[in-house]
Amino acid sequence: MTSPVRHVAALQPITALSRAFSDGGLHHMPVVDADGKLCGIITQSDLIAILLKN
């Protein structure tokens, strides 16, 4: 993980996620809700699976 922790918002567009993974060299990121509480983790594999469904 990185410090400070890079995270994404639960309602963030997929396009922003792909940029974060490709430009940031990250393989997984925490997902936080509107209150800043952890609600999950998203991985590059999750993103690829989402993109292949569409």
Side-chain angles (χ1 to χ4, degrees):
M1 295 301 259
T2 60
S3 177
V5 175
R6 292 186 56 192
H7 63 280
V8 295
L11 299 176
Q12 190 164 350
I14 290 174
T15 54
L17 289 174
S18 60
R19 274 188 238 114
F21 283 131
S22 64
D23 296 343
L26 302 174
H27 301 285
H28 53 277
M29 288 200 301
V31 180
V32 297
D33 65 13
D35 296 324
K37 294 185 180 184
L38 180 67
C39 59
I41 299 286
I42 190 159
T43 67
Q44 284 180 332
S45 299
D46 295 330
L47 180 62
I48 291 169
I50 291 167
L51 294 172
L52 290 175
K53 283 185 180 180
N54 295 322

